[in-house]
Amino acid sequence: ISLMVDGSSILFISITLFKKSDEQIVDNHFIKYITEEAKFEIIKNYPDYEIIHSIINNFFIDEKTFSELPKNLNYKKFAVEFNFFIYPKSFLENLKNIFAKQNVIVKKFIFSSYSKSIFYLNKILDQKKKIFVDIGFEKTCAFLFDKKKMQQFRILPIGGNHITKDISKILKIEISKAEEIKLNFENI
């Protein structure tokens, strides 16, 4: 299966790799090579983590920025800006073991907050800049997109559970009643 996961232990890493050359052509083979080089750097510097998503954010060719790779363009200076989402291997292995006990093999992990933001990004067409906020149980993820490219990502250590507890404390009511108020806020 492909398993959607979410948690505050995820890291967001940006890396830009630069190459110089005497007029080489940028093609898909070269992009694959430089992507593998970027992944190697992440694995080397974060050995206890596993890459969940790798994203090419921008290409820089001879001082010009491109959001998509131009076809068969010669370059002297070339760079690729990558974004990676990585999770601790121990967290992912624990999930694999839980599913394996039920004879289910996890083949791929997907960062659910990111995949939801990509889904909605393609549904909202009238805005150049978009912010997606995914409020979870114990944390909130926020994504900033500009022209369909992710520019920022943040995790806030506050989630729906914190809101419920605050309502309970302020109104001096049971957690279950506070949860009901939170979920039906518009009807109060």
Side-chain angles (χ1 to χ4, degrees), residues 20-81:
K20 285 186 178 182
S21 175
D22 293 327
E23 294 288 333
Q24 290 213 358
I25 294 178
V26 177
D27 59 13
N28 287 336
H29 177 71
F30 180 76
I31 296 303
K32 186 176 180 179
Y33 165 77
I34 201 167
T35 300
E36 290 304 315
E37 188 176 335
K39 287 179 180 180
F40 174 79
E41 289 298 323
I42 296 297
I43 292 165
K44 180 176 77 175
N45 289 291
Y46 297 89
D48 297 332
Y49 285 78
E50 186 174 320
I51 297 169
I52 301 299
H53 293 286
S54 57
I55 305 145
I56 294 178
N57 209 37
N58 285 306
F59 299 94
F60 305 96
I61 302 172
D62 294 330
E63 312 300 328
K64 294 177 186 166
T65 303
F66 300 89
S67 60
E68 294 187 17
L69 182 64
K71 297 289 182 197
N72 299 321
L73 188 66
N74 290 346
Y75 73 93
K76 289 185 180 177
K77 289 191 283 183
F78 179 78
V80 182
E81 178 186 22

Side-chain angles (χ1 to χ4, degrees), residues 2 66 79 82 95 98 107-108 127-128 167 176 179:
S2 292
F66 300 89
F82 295 94
L95 289 173
I98 290 168
K107 293 191 176 213
K108 182 178 183 180
Q127 302 287 322
K128 285 185 181 180
I167 293 170
S176 59
E179 180 71 10

Side-chain angles (χ1 to χ4, degrees), residues 75-91:
Y75 73 93
K76 289 185 180 177
K77 289 191 283 183
F78 179 78
V80 182
E81 178 186 22
F82 295 94
N83 293 327
F84 292 94
F85 286 111
I86 62 176
Y87 263 109
K89 287 180 180 178
S90 59
F91 172 76

Side-chain angles (χ1 to χ4, degrees), residues 120-128 130 148:
Y120 287 110
L121 179 67
N122 294 320
K123 300 280 184 201
I124 302 169
L125 303 173
D126 61 340
Q127 302 287 322
K128 285 185 181 180
K130 300 171 186 110
K148 294 197 173 195

Side-chain angles (χ1 to χ4, degrees), residues 114-132 144-150:
Y114 174 68
S115 66
K116 285 187 272 186
S117 71
I118 295 298
F119 174 80
Y120 287 110
L121 179 67
N122 294 320
K123 300 280 184 201
I124 302 169
L125 303 173
D126 61 340
Q127 302 287 322
K128 285 185 181 180
K129 287 189 178 187
K130 300 171 186 110
I131 297 175
F132 295 98
L144 169 65
F145 288 87
D146 187 8
K147 300 175 190 156
K148 294 197 173 195
K149 293 284 185 175
M150 186 175 55

